[in-house]
Amino acid sequence: GESVGLHLPTLSVQEGDNSIINCAYSNSASDYFIWYKQESGKGPQFIIDIRSNMDKRQGQRVTVLLNKTVKHLSLQIAATQPGDSAVYFCAENRGNQFYFGTGTSLTVIP
Amino acid sequence: EAGVAQSPRYKIIEKRQSVAFWCNPISGHATLYWYQQILGQGPKLLIQFQNNGVVDDSQLPKDRFSAERLKGVDSTLKIQPAKLEDSAVYLCASSLLQGNTEAFFGQGTRLTVV
């Protein structure tokens, strides 16, 4: 069954502000995590990944933090733009399979 | 590079009918996945192929769902007979390697069973 969960189903932020999307996981055996963005009518799109031997990874405007002590993952989006409006999923890789959470719907207010 | 191609984009069928979905993964990707995404939920893995072999199909309802990847490239997913609860988006994804590598998704096929 699913062991990946998201703290909030919806999140609204003002354009230009930073967004933080959180995700909890329960399986310590997970060694690889990915954040996906899914826009309406499209398949999930890779944003950033992190391996369990890392605490932080940065991309363009995005940062993923991994706290293995509390089994928590977060995605930070800097200077959120209207194009960032989408559903965001965290996925964990266990046994060569990806398990997805329910998703957080991010709405950017112009 | 071309992405994962899926067809059709949309399909409406009556319950008890059959339907098939097609997926062409990214060239060279050995691993292919079929996911079911019900509205408002995250994708759920149905079946995973490594080349033309099945790695995991534990969540595939085998009484009505079947999938194949005969030549290790394209794949088809079939539902026969369909039920109302099969209404969902069926996503195909592929990755270069099994395990800790990024999976690329197609746009999906939206199935409505009436």
Side-chain angles (χ1 to χ4, degrees), chain A residues 32-52:
Chain A
Y32 179 58
F33 302 87
I34 301 180
W35 280 100
Y36 282 94
K37 172 186 179 183
Q38 188 172 28
E39 297 174 279
S40 181
K42 297 183 179 180
Q45 179 185 8
F46 173 89
I47 301 173
I48 192 168
D49 60 0
I50 189 167
R51 302 193 186 278
S52 61

Side-chain angles (χ1 to χ4, degrees), chain B residues 23-84:
Chain B
C23 172
N24 187 317
I26 293 173
S27 178
H29 280 196
T31 307
L32 184 147
Y33 311 83
W34 282 103
Y35 285 86
Q36 179 193 60
Q37 187 175 25
I38 293 172
L39 186 64
Q41 298 182 17
K44 183 186 88 171
L45 180 69
L46 293 175
I47 188 168
Q48 177 182 344
F49 291 94
Q50 181 70 14
N51 297 309
N52 62 349
V54 175
V55 174
D56 190 300
D57 62 357
S58 58
Q59 299 193 82
L60 187 74
K62 298 181 189 63
D63 57 334
R64 298 183 300 106
F65 286 64
S66 64
E68 59 183 15
R69 193 186 184 198
L70 293 175
K71 295 182 179 179
V73 181
D74 294 7
S75 177
T76 56
L77 175 69
K78 297 179 182 177
I79 307 175
Q80 182 179 13
K83 293 185 176 181
L84 296 177

Side-chain angles (χ1 to χ4, degrees), chain A residues 13-104:
Chain A
V13 297
Q14 207 71 37
E15 180 178 357
D17 287 352
N18 296 335
S19 304
I20 300 176
I21 302 171
N22 296 302
C23 180
Y25 64 96
S26 59
N27 196 313
S28 301
S30 299
D31 56 2
Y32 179 58
F33 302 87
I34 301 180
W35 280 100
Y36 282 94
K37 172 186 179 183
Q38 188 172 28
E39 297 174 279
S40 181
K42 297 183 179 180
Q45 179 185 8
F46 173 89
I47 301 173
I48 192 168
D49 60 0
I50 189 167
R51 302 193 186 278
S52 61
N53 61 353
M54 303 169 69
D55 298 321
K56 179 180 180 179
R57 190 160 189 222
Q58 287 185 295
Q60 188 177 15
R61 285 202 305 119
V62 294
T63 301
V64 57
L65 299 177
L66 176 62
N67 185 330
K68 294 179 284 294
T69 303
V70 295
K71 299 190 183 70
H72 181 269
L73 194 68
S74 69
L75 176 70
Q76 301 177 3
I77 305 173
T80 313
Q81 302 168 1
D84 295 327
S85 292
V87 176
Y88 289 80
F89 294 97
C90 62
E92 61 176 317
N93 186 281
R94 277 187 282 120
N96 297 322
Q97 293 180 19
F98 290 99
Y99 295 87
F100 284 78
T102 307
T104 292

